[in-house]
Amino acid sequence: MNRQIVRALAEKDIAEVAQNRIAISGAIILSVIFAVVFPLLITQIPVLLPESDQPAFDDLQELIPPQLIDELAELSPEQLPIVLILGYLMAPLFLVLPLMLACIIAAEAFVGEKERKTLEPLIYTPATDLELFAGKVLASAVPATLYTWANFAIYAVVVNVAGWPVMGRIWFPTDTWWVLMLWVVPAVATLGVSATVLISARVNTFMEAYQASGALVLIILALLMGQIFGLIFLSPAVLVVVGFLFFALDAVLIWFGVRIFARSELIARI
């Protein structure tokens, strides 16, 4: 595989995505909501609500995984909602960022070629089928992962700075978040790309591909609801397993995606 060709193809797709208003506006909106607005609101609960109205430990105990009860019991009533929500419950929801951005970029990279009528010239480039596919996957998965890491950094700053009056210390990120960012996020970003490849073979427009791949958010919501209702606790060890499962699913979808992205299949769809 020629790395220079793969890199050139990836840079081409990234440049085209940068001109897509839907991709850019969607990324900005997600960043503001997840990395800034939400942590600001949660950290201000002790400030905005009278002490009598603040959630007590007993009220939140149903949401606390058994593994964390002793650890969180040491927190004050003001500190508890901050640590519980921003440190634990918010973790799986953050996976929406790499998933959605990867789907947006992949939909633009794969289906966008059809809409821009640039699929035929792409087919006759000297790149191999694998190089074409790898370039488009990198153009989607890598930016989505880096984008999520950047938002994680912003989120960490907001959580610690805004929560300092209540927490009195820098407590975030936790071990769970490090595993989530470094192991699970790349797997989820790749999942968004690989699934969008398969969807792109069945649709003809960017919006159709994006809307169909958006259904993958249900997987993230399942993790979130499972943790909220005590069905699963996303500890670092559990997240390692979750990451392996995502990567295994990625491998299967990519295998099918490479077959779909063969030149013979692309020519048939022109």
Side-chain angles (χ1 to χ4, degrees):
M1 182 183 296
N2 190 317
R3 294 183 179 180
Q4 291 183 338
I5 292 179
V6 172
R7 180 176 178 179
L9 291 169
E11 290 176 348
K12 165 187 167 294
D13 283 341
I14 291 174
E16 291 172 347
V17 170
Q19 300 175 6
N20 188 313
R21 294 182 179 180
I22 295 178
I24 299 301
S25 60
I28 293 174
I29 291 172
L30 286 176
S31 295
V32 172
I33 293 175
F34 281 86
V36 180
V37 174
F38 193 78
L40 278 178
L41 289 176
I42 299 302
T43 53
Q44 295 309 303
I45 287 178
V47 177
L48 299 176
L49 294 180
E51 185 174 349
S52 59
D53 293 334
Q54 292 176 16
F57 180 81
D58 292 339
D59 298 328
L60 294 174
Q61 192 169 7
E62 294 182 359
L63 298 178
I64 301 176
Q67 300 91 329
L68 292 176
I69 290 180
D70 292 338
E71 178 181 344
L72 298 184
E74 300 176 358
L75 299 175
S76 68
E78 294 80 12
Q79 295 172 335
L80 179 59
I82 294 177
V83 175
L84 178 61
I85 297 174
L86 298 180
Y88 294 96
L89 299 183
M90 182 67 177
L93 192 59
F94 218 79
L95 294 175
V96 169
L97 295 179
L99 180 62
M100 295 307 297
L101 189 64
C103 289
I104 291 174
I105 298 176
E108 171 66 23
F110 287 93
V111 186
E113 297 285 358
K114 296 181 186 179
E115 293 185 303
R116 293 189 299 271
K117 307 299 182 182
T118 57
L119 186 58
E120 186 171 2
L122 182 68
I123 291 174
Y124 295 106
T125 60
T128 65
D129 292 348
L130 183 58
E131 288 168 348
L132 286 173
F133 183 81
K136 290 187 173 295
V137 169
L138 287 177
S140 305
V142 172
T145 299
L146 295 177
Y147 164 78
T148 305
W149 288 349
N151 278 277
F152 169 62
I154 297 172
Y155 181 83
V157 171
V158 174
V159 167
N160 285 307
V161 172
W164 183 271
V166 177
M167 300 300 299
R169 59 188 173 89
I170 296 176
W171 65 275
F172 186 89
T174 62
D175 293 341
T176 293
W177 278 83
W178 284 117
V179 177
L180 186 80
M181 288 296 114
L182 299 178
W183 176 243
V184 182
V185 163
V188 170
T190 307
L191 173 64
V193 178
S194 54
T196 303
V197 173
L198 299 179
I199 293 170
S200 298
R202 305 294 180 183
V203 300
N204 295 311
T205 66
F206 165 80
M207 286 305 300
E208 287 178 330
Y210 173 58
Q211 291 171 356
S213 59
L216 293 171
V217 173
L218 294 176
I219 298 176
I220 308 304
L221 293 180
L223 289 175
L224 175 65
M225 299 307 294
Q227 180 153 275
I228 289 177
F229 290 104
L231 301 177
I232 184 174
F233 170 50
L234 296 178
S235 64
V238 171
L239 283 175
V240 170
V241 175
V242 170
F244 271 117
L245 293 177
F246 275 131
F247 275 120
L249 180 58
D250 293 342
V252 174
L253 294 179
I254 287 175
W255 184 82
F256 283 107
V258 171
R259 295 171 63 88
I260 290 176
F261 203 70
R263 272 181 167 81
S264 58
E265 296 292 334
L266 293 175
I267 293 173
R269 299 204 302 269
I270 294 179

